[in-house]
Amino acid sequence: MTKIIIDGKEYDLDPNLTLLQACEAAGKEIPRFCFHERLSIAGNCRMCLVEVRMGGRPGPKPVASCAQQLRDLPPVKEGQPLHEIVTGSPTVKKAREGVMEFLLINHPLDCPICDQGGECDLQDQAMAYGHDKLERFKENKRAVTEKNMGPLVKTIMTRCIHCTRCVRFAAEVAGVDEIGAIGRGEDMEITTYLEKAVTSELSGNIIDLCPVGALTSKPYAFNARPWELKKIESIDVMDALGANIRIDARGREVMRILPRNNDDVNEEWISDKTRFVWDGLKRQRLDRPYVRKDGKLTEADWPEAFAAIAARFATTKPERMAAIVGDLADAESIKALKDLMTALGVVNLDCRQDGAKIGLAPDGTRGPRAGYLFNSGIASVEAADALLLIGTNPRMEAPVLNARIRKAWLRGNLNIARLGPPADLNYPVCELGNNPADLIAIADGRHAAFETLKSAKHPMLIIGMGALARPDGAAVLAACAKIASATGMIGPEGEAGWNGFNLLHTAAARVAALDLGFLPGQGGRDTAGIVAGAGKGEIDTLFLLGADEIDTRALGKAFVIYLGSHGDKGAHRADIILPGAAYTEKPGTYVNIEGRVQRANRASFPPGEAKEDWTILRALSEVLGRKLPYDSLAQLREAMASDAPHVAQLDKAPGFPPADPAIWRAIGTAGPIDNAHPFVYPISDFYLTNPIARASATLAECSRSSAGRPLASAAE
């Protein structure tokens, strides 16, 4: 530790801290534009100047506090006073005023029409650290042409102050070297490579990083001012990571989605799909019940829709009924649907739309929770020193997790190999080919990857749904568990406090549904069996809770009830539509890939006659004569906690499961692996993976742009 005086008070601090961080640890506010805790240090803006008095003597000039560490200060000689950092002296004040004056030489007075107004660091710091004298520079301000950064980021580069935050984020976090500086002096400009769209799934984060109005949100432009918006903390459902978000709404309309900081989950980044999906919340909405009459869906009221369902259920045997949960459902609606189906005697239940062979032990009972979680935890990816990816493309399936993996690789201590189709992950990967038979070779110690994992201190594997949503998925899972046991990731040979066996889900609802047991009962059918049974006439009635990713064309003449928020594939096939609430329109519980339970809050209300999903199911249960035993959200959550006690433990990762070999033998089912069919990734189009995303005009444009297709004009 290093002893130092900061504004007259002595502190004992970590020598690795920068002077800026040391001042913040002492409770001092230091202005900055270029410095950011998660990016490398550039030292461009010079706004963070402080005075350093060596041994009590004033220094020759102010020091950029972001670019110097405490360890860089010379040692204090015996008999001399400690070094002192002064943050508010007249020298520092004058230096900051001079820096601000230079920054404003060419900056246009766009505050009345700038989308960054009200959230602009330059605006705030000009008020706090600038001076009130007239500007001394009378020359004409420079002008810079706007740059093309794609359909998401709006650029007005005349406002740019060259902090290079966007450049460093693209190169270091996103892993795409597509933003940089050209020219020198007053001719310097920040631009993209050949002015093409940024090809990163995390590009929207540069909007948050920009301390001025040079980079703003193109879809949000001129829509609202920050003081008009109601800000609600919530959870993202675009993937299974459970990123912490803030939803900004005006009245009944969601205006934008921003990240919240959570170092254990998403740090302060979110994917572009998460950030820009908000316009899909108001398109293709289901706002009233519909009942199919004479082959056409016609508007109905709630009693009529419920009566039609009751009439159908009264004439259908439980063994000819089924229910499937979709990818965006909250735990409350999953619990309500499971209780209703159980009360009706239905055992054909499944939450695995993609057909992943997880959640069940070899004997058909529920398997251990460790068999479907990201057991190491998201943050612990940074501690891994060997990683094997099996049938997964984390850049498409969880971009923020992919940034974590890249972060670990940048530190130089992570060897990464992949079994699956080659794809650009923005960091080097040792490609092992795409032969599933290699899994057996690795598990038996007959492959070089086995030795790499075995010799690592913190080995890790990540299994994607592309490896598990196959007919032999249970055998693949069992082989992966064997690899984990044999290489010391888990079990008695593994290091205490470490578990590197991880599944990467693509559905936000999946872990909660598995926790609550929304799986086939004794003799029940899984998703593939339900769809096949409907096509053969063996399943007469099918209840879809937001399930849009199944093959609805294969359902034959089955009677389909769809409860969801958007008019997607499930609603088009439905015979009865019950309008539900989107994830921003209801309080809900979600469990992320690592088993962390998080709560989302309501930011707006559903349109028209749409209701919260669990309240619809509660009302329907009364009409069916199977009244559910809860009348409030609190009572429902108590019932959830009785089924899965950990659901009551909010924002807490479950920790590493015990190293009991019996647990890991119950994961998957040993059997042959189909070598004739290579792994296929579950996501082919990152931007259009769920009903809300498919309703978004912004994400549709991103999809066309990323595929290299020309964008259609309005006339087309």
Side-chain angles (χ1 to χ4, degrees):
M1 303 297 281
T2 299
K3 290 185 177 181
I4 192 165
I5 298 173
I6 301 176
D7 286 348
K9 290 178 121 181
E10 184 177 320
Y11 297 89
D12 199 5
L13 300 171
D14 183 349
N16 293 314
L17 293 178
T18 64
L19 303 187
L20 186 151
Q21 291 170 321
C23 292
E24 289 194 332
K28 305 298 178 182
E29 181 181 348
I30 305 296
R32 87 291 301 270
F33 292 115
C34 67
F35 177 80
H36 192 277
E37 289 81 358
R38 304 191 194 279
L39 303 176
S40 62
I41 293 171
N44 292 336
C45 70
R46 321 307 285 182
M47 194 65 203
C48 62
L49 295 174
V50 296
E51 188 179 357
V52 179
R53 296 176 180 174
M54 306 284 189
R57 297 189 306 274
K61 61 181 180 180
V63 173
S65 60
C66 72
Q68 187 171 4
Q69 293 178 301
L70 291 178
R71 66 166 65 251
D72 297 329
L73 298 175
V76 178
K77 296 181 180 178
E78 188 175 351
Q80 283 189 336
L82 296 174
H83 300 321
E84 181 178 6
I85 301 174
V86 182
T87 65
S89 68
T91 300
V92 171
K93 184 175 183 295
K94 184 177 180 181
R96 290 175 180 169
E97 288 177 353
V99 170
M100 181 59 68
E101 190 174 5
F102 272 110
L103 288 174
L104 295 176
I105 289 174
N106 285 307
H107 195 80
L109 187 58
D110 284 348
C111 299
I113 53 99
C114 179
D115 271 321
Q116 202 85 331
E119 298 175 316
C120 177
D121 291 347
L122 183 63
Q123 189 180 52
D124 295 341
Q125 293 185 36
M127 294 294 292
Y129 301 102
H131 60 72
D132 56 358
K133 299 184 180 72
L134 292 175
E135 189 176 289
R136 290 176 288 173
F137 295 88
K138 305 302 181 185
E139 290 80 5
N140 292 330
K141 292 181 181 288
R142 74 170 192 162
V144 180
T145 57
E146 293 185 18
K147 311 301 181 186
N148 172 33
M149 290 194 181
L152 302 178
V153 182
K154 178 184 177 184
T155 64
I156 302 182
M157 301 311 291
T158 302
R159 302 171 183 164
C160 179
I161 62 170
H162 305 152
C163 71
T164 68
R165 280 186 179 182
C166 56
V167 177
R168 286 174 283 149
F169 174 84
E172 297 165 11
V173 179
V176 291
D177 290 312
E178 296 176 347
I179 305 178
I182 59 174
R184 293 172 63 87
E186 69 173 7
D187 295 324
M188 179 177 174
E189 297 181 14
I190 302 294
T191 184
T192 57
Y193 177 66
L194 296 181
E195 295 197 21
K196 70 184 184 74
V198 181
T199 60
S200 170
E201 299 76 28
L202 300 168
S203 65
N205 291 288
I206 63 177
I207 297 168
D208 298 332
L209 288 172
C210 184
V212 296
L215 304 176
T216 56
S217 171
K218 191 174 286 187
Y220 172 74
F222 308 119
N223 277 351
R225 288 294 196 182
W227 53 83
E228 299 177 298
L229 304 176
K230 179 177 63 174
K231 302 169 179 63
I232 297 91
E233 295 183 351
S234 192
I235 302 299
D236 172 50
V237 299
M238 293 298 109
D239 56 35
L241 202 70
N244 289 214
I245 59 174
R246 191 188 86 193
I247 300 171
D248 288 1
R250 184 174 61 187
R252 300 173 66 93
E253 186 176 359
V254 173
M255 304 301 295
R256 64 177 178 179
I257 296 174
L258 300 175
R260 285 190 294 127
N261 187 78
N262 188 326
D263 288 344
D264 293 330
V265 182
N266 60 303
E267 298 183 295
E268 57 189 88
W269 318 126
I270 54 174
S271 72
D272 289 348
K273 182 164 52 176
T274 298
R275 182 184 298 269
F276 295 105
V277 76
W278 52 267
D279 69 320
L281 292 166
K282 56 188 177 183
R283 293 187 171 92
Q284 300 293 327
R285 290 305 302 269
L286 302 174
D287 59 356
R288 66 198 67 190
Y290 287 85
V291 175
R292 191 176 295 276
K293 297 178 181 178
D294 299 325
K296 295 182 66 176
L297 285 169
T298 59
E299 294 181 13
D301 55 21
W302 284 105
E304 182 182 355
F306 284 168
I309 295 173
R312 182 70 186 189
F313 279 21
T315 59
T316 307
K317 295 180 179 179
E319 60 269 20
R320 299 180 69 85
M321 298 167 59
I324 300 176
V325 162
D327 292 348
L328 307 183
D330 58 286
E332 287 82 358
S333 59
I334 295 170
K335 167 65 174 171
L337 180 59
K338 180 176 183 288
D339 287 351
L340 178 58
M341 292 294 114
T342 301
L344 293 169
V346 180
V347 295
N348 301 314
L349 310 175
D350 207 354
C351 62
R352 304 161 300 179
Q353 281 193 101
D354 53 10
K357 305 300 186 292
I358 53 177
L360 294 175
D363 60 0
T365 60
R366 287 176 60 182
R369 198 170 187 234
Y372 56 81
L373 289 185
F374 201 93
N375 291 290
S376 68
I378 296 167
S380 294
V381 168
E382 298 178 29
D385 51 359
L387 172 61
L388 176 60
L389 303 173
I390 301 173
T392 181
N393 179 357
R395 184 177 177 185
M396 296 289 106
E397 297 164 34
V400 177
L401 176 67
N402 194 59
R404 283 265 195 187
I405 299 173
R406 175 177 168 79
K407 182 179 179 182
W409 168 77
L410 280 174
R411 291 177 176 175
N413 62 342
L414 180 59
N415 295 317
I416 308 169
R418 173 172 50 192
L419 191 60
D424 182 11
L425 297 179
N426 296 331
Y427 44 81
V429 176
C430 176
E431 300 289 356
L432 304 181
N434 193 13
N435 185 357
D438 288 337
L439 273 177
I440 302 300
I442 297 173
D444 293 341
R446 296 181 286 105
H447 196 287
F450 177 87
E451 294 301 327
T452 302
L453 294 171
K454 182 75 173 176
S455 61
K457 184 177 181 182
H458 292 139
M460 177 184 290
L461 60 81
I462 299 178
I463 315 154
M465 295 301 106
L468 302 178
R470 303 161 36 109
D472 61 349
V476 170
L477 184 60
C480 292
K482 184 178 178 181
I483 292 171
S485 297
T487 56
M489 291 183 197
I490 56 176
E493 297 182 8
E495 180 178 326
W498 178 256
N499 187 298
F501 183 82
N502 301 312
L503 267 66
L504 179 55
H505 296 280
T506 57
R510 185 69 52 81
V511 174
L514 292 171
D515 284 346
L516 294 171
F518 205 98
L519 291 164
Q522 189 68 32
R525 299 170 180 258
D526 60 8
T527 297
I530 292 170
V531 173
K536 296 175 183 177
E538 298 168 356
I539 296 293
D540 294 334
T541 302
L542 176 59
F543 197 111
L544 302 179
L545 179 58
D548 294 277
E549 312 310 321
I550 62 173
D551 185 3
T552 56
R553 296 170 298 180
L555 296 180
K557 297 181 179 180
F559 188 85
V560 177
I561 304 160
Y562 180 82
L563 169 54
S565 61
H566 282 69
D568 206 76
K569 291 184 288 186
H572 280 257
R573 173 59 184 82
D575 295 284
I576 296 179
I577 295 175
L578 306 177
Y583 72 104
T584 59
E585 299 162 355
K586 57 186 174 185
T589 302
Y590 297 91
V591 187
N592 76 346
I593 54 174
E594 59 181 349
R596 184 185 301 270
V597 180
Q598 302 182 107
R599 291 264 171 86
N601 297 307
R602 179 193 288 118
S604 60
F605 289 88
E609 298 179 37
K611 313 288 183 185
E612 292 179 32
D613 299 25
W614 79 266
T615 63
I616 296 172
L617 293 165
R618 167 62 180 78
L620 176 60
S621 71
E622 197 158 3
V623 174
L624 297 176
R626 302 289 194 278
K627 183 179 177 181
L628 296 177
Y630 28 79
D631 299 321
S632 67
L633 185 61
Q635 291 176 346
L636 173 54
R637 285 175 172 169
E638 287 179 8
M640 287 165 48
S642 67
D643 282 1
H646 59 268
V647 173
Q649 300 176 3
L650 298 181
D651 199 29
K652 182 180 178 182
F656 302 122
D660 182 358
I663 291 179
W664 304 99
R665 284 196 295 269
I667 296 175
T669 304
I673 294 177
D674 183 3
N675 304 330
H677 293 87
F679 295 133
V680 178
Y681 295 140
I683 294 178
S684 57
D685 189 333
F686 167 73
Y687 296 101
L688 306 177
T689 56
N690 60 67
I692 303 176
R694 288 190 285 268
S696 167
T698 301
L699 296 185
E701 187 176 0
C702 291
S703 175
R704 293 192 296 270
S705 177
S706 65
R709 296 188 292 269
L711 302 182
S713 66
E716 296 174 307

